[in-house]
Amino acid sequence: MKVIKNILMLLGVVFVAGTLIFAVQSTSVNNLNATVVANDSVQINVASEYRISSIDIPEDLNFAGEVVPQQDPEIMERVDREFLVNTYWQSNALLLMKRANKYFPIIEPILAKNGIPDDFKYLAVAESGLTNVVSPAGATGFWQIMRDTGREYGLEVNANVDERYHLEKSTEVACKYLKKWKERYGSWALTAAAYNAGPGAVNKYLKIQQVDTYWDLLLGSETGRYVFRIMAIKEILSNPEKYGFHIDKDDMYTAVPTFTVEVDTPVSDFADFAQEYEINYKILKRHNPWLREPHLNNASGKNIL
């Protein structure tokens, strides 16, 4: 009997100990959960400083002075899309702002001299992101000029020299092209659409649909978004802090001082040529991207470096 009592007492001690261990473990788990919740709270507080919200669209939207019909819900959905996409693609927007600080001072006076509205500098942003890109169709440079168009407007385009990469000269060509189609359409918005899709496509759709404004025209996805995208880029780059962007002036890209050299003869080796002017091959080519080979044939005899 005594033995049975001892066994029962031992079992009781084990049971009590097990209960205590379970309680301690439960408390630890609860404490752990509390820590996780606390950590989650910290994360939520951090995230709350970055707010993703709808964009307040300006009430006076216009493209090159042409008023946008903001009373049209379908138009405003398209506007809203471009504001959201271009505001919340933050890395791209920051790069555009930095590049604009470097290149707009070159583009703006050329547009003004040719009577092209200042808004068209944002067309170059929409076309290329202010970089010398080449499209799958072969459009090239900041203004995405096709080979035949470049030649038609006086640019030298060949394997040795491609002036579509020359910012000043290509901007002049873009101005001539835009002026030509503004005279045809009487509308800057339709002119921009023609720049993107080609006048043939715009003419075709105007005739089929029997309308005469960009806002009433049903176009393909890219051209249908085009002018709206330009307006969104214009607004965001013009008012960066309004859309949550804070950039110190020192963080902007800037143009470095350069000098020009008239060259009316062939240059056999740009590395040697660069050294004559106390620079190197990389610097020469970076500032003259229109020079496509390590030498210059100079068949035209007109080039300036």
Side-chain angles (χ1 to χ4, degrees):
M1 191 69 178
K2 185 175 181 181
V3 172
I4 294 173
K5 287 183 179 179
N6 288 337
I7 292 172
L8 291 173
M9 288 178 62
L10 181 60
L11 290 173
V13 170
V14 171
F15 177 79
V16 171
T19 302
L20 290 172
I21 290 170
F22 178 79
V24 170
Q25 288 177 335
S26 297
T27 302
S28 298
V29 170
N30 289 336
N31 288 338
L32 180 60
N33 288 338
T35 302
V36 171
V37 171
N39 286 339
D40 283 347
S41 297
V42 171
Q43 293 299 319
I44 291 170
N45 289 338
V46 170
S48 68
E49 296 178 7
Y50 172 64
R51 298 183 182 276
I52 300 174
S53 61
S54 296
I55 305 296
D56 290 331
I57 307 298
E59 296 180 356
D60 58 348
L61 277 184
N62 72 87
F63 177 71
E66 296 177 8
V67 177
V68 180
Q70 290 180 252
Q71 71 280 3
D72 184 333
E74 189 268 342
I75 292 289
M76 291 311 295
E77 282 190 26
R78 293 159 70 185
V79 169
D80 189 51
R81 174 181 180 176
E82 300 310 320
F83 270 80
L84 288 170
V85 168
N86 289 283
T87 298
Y88 288 117
W89 189 5
Q90 296 93 335
S91 59
N92 187 64
L94 284 168
L95 284 171
L96 296 181
M97 292 171 194
K98 289 169 178 274
R99 292 174 190 153
N101 191 71
K102 181 177 181 179
Y103 294 115
F104 276 1
I106 299 170
I107 294 172
E108 289 167 346
I110 298 174
L111 295 178
K113 180 187 72 174
N114 286 280
I116 303 298
D118 192 63
D119 280 7
F120 277 88
K121 66 190 180 189
Y122 300 103
L123 181 146
V125 179
E127 283 286 339
S128 66
L130 299 179
T131 57
N132 275 315
V133 295
V134 179
S135 78
T140 297
F142 277 39
W143 294 93
Q144 290 290 277
I145 297 171
M146 296 296 289
R147 178 187 296 268
D148 290 345
T149 303
R151 288 174 172 168
E152 178 187 348
Y153 285 88
L155 295 181
E156 185 175 351
V157 182
N158 54 55
N160 187 238
V161 169
D162 190 340
E163 291 181 331
R164 292 177 296 171
Y165 291 97
H166 193 298
L167 180 54
E168 290 88 343
K169 290 183 179 181
S170 64
T171 303
E172 290 281 0
V173 166
C175 289
K176 292 176 183 177
Y177 187 92
L178 293 167
K179 287 177 73 173
K180 174 181 177 179
W181 292 105
K182 172 59 163 60
E183 291 174 4
R184 160 66 176 80
Y185 296 118
S187 160
W188 287 118
L190 281 174
T191 299
Y195 193 97
N196 179 253
V202 172
N203 293 341
K204 172 184 173 182
Y205 291 124
L206 286 171
K207 183 177 180 180
I208 291 173
Q209 298 173 32
Q210 300 179 32
V211 295
D212 57 8
T213 73
Y214 175 81
W215 320 111
D216 292 324
L217 198 58
L218 180 62
L219 294 161
S221 176
E222 180 181 344
T223 310
R225 294 178 59 183
Y226 192 64
V227 174
F228 298 96
R229 184 179 177 212
I230 293 171
M231 288 189 296
I233 292 171
K234 168 191 169 183
E235 171 66 15
I236 295 163
L237 267 61
S238 300
N239 304 285
E241 292 189 2
K242 177 180 175 181
Y243 298 93
F245 296 95
H246 301 272
I247 310 176
D248 292 334
K249 186 176 181 180
D250 292 342
D251 293 328
M252 291 292 195
Y253 301 154
T254 55
V256 301
T258 60
F259 59 91
T260 59
V261 177
E262 292 189 10
V263 177
D264 56 7
T265 60
V267 177
S268 60
D269 190 304
F270 279 139
D272 292 337
F273 181 86
Q275 290 177 21
E276 292 178 20
Y277 294 93
E278 299 182 346
I279 59 174
N280 61 32
Y281 180 87
K282 183 183 78 170
I283 293 172
L284 176 67
K285 295 284 282 198
R286 281 178 63 91
H287 291 282
N288 297 278
W290 49 277
L291 298 171
R292 306 310 296 166
E293 295 181 309
H295 60 275
L296 178 65
N297 298 332
N298 210 351
S300 65
K302 67 176 183 179
N303 295 299
I304 297 177
L305 283 66

